[in-house]
Amino acid sequence: MTKPRIAIVGAGAVGGYAGAYMAQAGHDVTFIDPWPEHVEAMRARGLTIAHLKDVPEFTVPVRAIHLTELQSFAKERPVDIAFVCMKSYDTAWATTMIAQYLAPGGYVVSLQNCINEEVIAGIVGWGRVLGAIASLITVELSAPGLVKRAAGKSGASHTVYRVGEPHGRVSPRAEFVTSLVALSDSALTTTNLWGERWSKLVANVMGNGIAAATGLLAKDATADDAIRAFAARLGSEAIRVGQALGYDLEEILHLDPEVIARAGEGDDAARAAYDAQRLADTQKPGGGAHRASMGQDMMKGRRTEIEYLNGFVVARGAEIGIAAPANAALTAIVKRVERGEVAASPDLIRGLRLN
């Protein structure tokens, strides 16, 4: 049987990491990326994957092309599975770009931080969309042709990938995509894509914007009492919005969502449980000794996804009458840092006064 043709649209940290294992397993994978130096490095030396511990570094030869070369696909076999791994603000054009090269039965998998399935469905239709969440994967494209993971494999201790259909039923194609991402770490097929998506969103709103605003590594932000409390407030608002929207939330940062929500609302017992778990996480191997992706973007001078994370919580909350002032405040701070109006600093969070 002919193996499906796979395109990785955006060979950054997550796309490069998952795709490298697919290529290593012998799948027909083409990496498409907008960073010229990265494409040239992959062509010349292959794609290298390195872990903080337990996993030997390896390099796999890959086929990589520049965005400007994508029209060559018109002369090749159509794409069966397109993993869109771009930033949220690039989702629409990236999906439009690859959609014209999809096979009749081909489909798009959103392997992204934020909730972009609706944008993709607006281009290719809901019947050609799947979602895939990468949870606590801690990867970084640290140099052209090099993806580093600030941990080893999670394996049975934590399920990294969760793949699902928008309609919530388990399908053969969802199970196949699960088998593809499972080549790189633990994975499951979920019947709760939207609950998984929102749970991942909550984890992201608690860490990504803080990294961008403060310049701190994850463990250092968590160790700061004021910033850790603010993260609980961010998570609490996002959880309450998600619950009001009807989502069945999953575990978030190794905690029951209700514990985070109550901690952010001032419940002493919940706050103690929240603090204990968050601080314990920093003591694990790797333990947050990485910079969240939005912090990486800020350091590299790239546009952040703040409007699609904390700003998204604010917007969805406004639609149903739930205010999210902490998320609104962080969104405004990150935009100021992004524009160069202020320098990233922990004091931008510590100095907040929210009623």
Side-chain angles (χ1 to χ4, degrees), residues 296-318:
Q296 297 173 30
D297 291 338
M298 193 68 83
M299 289 192 69
K300 295 173 182 177
R302 299 182 61 184
R303 179 182 172 184
T304 73
E305 291 182 293
I306 194 69
E307 302 101 317
Y308 298 88
L309 291 173
N310 303 81
F312 186 75
V313 171
V314 175
R316 293 308 307 272

Side-chain angles (χ1 to χ4, degrees), residues 169-184:
R169 297 184 297 276
V170 174
S171 66
R173 68 181 188 177
E175 292 185 309
F176 183 72
V177 171
T178 300
S179 74
L180 289 175
V181 294
L183 293 166
S184 58

Side-chain angles (χ1 to χ4, degrees), residues 3-23 27-34 65 67 70 73 78-87 90-99 101-103 105-113 116-117 120 124 128-134 137 161-164 172-185 187-189 193 197:
K3 287 191 174 182
R5 186 168 188 212
I6 300 167
I8 307 290
V9 186
V14 175
Y17 185 80
Y21 280 92
M22 296 178 206
H27 285 282
D28 180 357
V29 183
T30 302
F31 294 86
I32 306 157
D33 199 78
I65 68 169
L67 284 177
L70 185 60
F73 273 31
V79 172
D80 299 294
I81 308 170
F83 286 87
V84 171
C85 308
M86 304 289 287
K87 296 293 186 182
D90 289 327
T91 299
W93 69 257
T95 303
T96 301
M97 181 183 69
I98 198 64
Y101 303 110
L102 288 177
Y107 51 91
V108 177
V109 181
S110 171
L111 182 54
Q112 299 170 277
N113 253 345
N116 294 306
E117 284 82 358
I120 293 170
V124 299
R128 306 181 85 181
V129 180
L130 281 84
I133 293 100
I137 194 169
Y161 298 103
R162 300 101 190 275
V163 178
R173 68 181 188 177
E175 292 185 309
F176 183 72
V177 171
T178 300
S179 74
L180 289 175
V181 294
L183 293 166
S184 58
D185 210 335
L188 60 79
T189 305
L193 174 64
R197 268 288 181 224

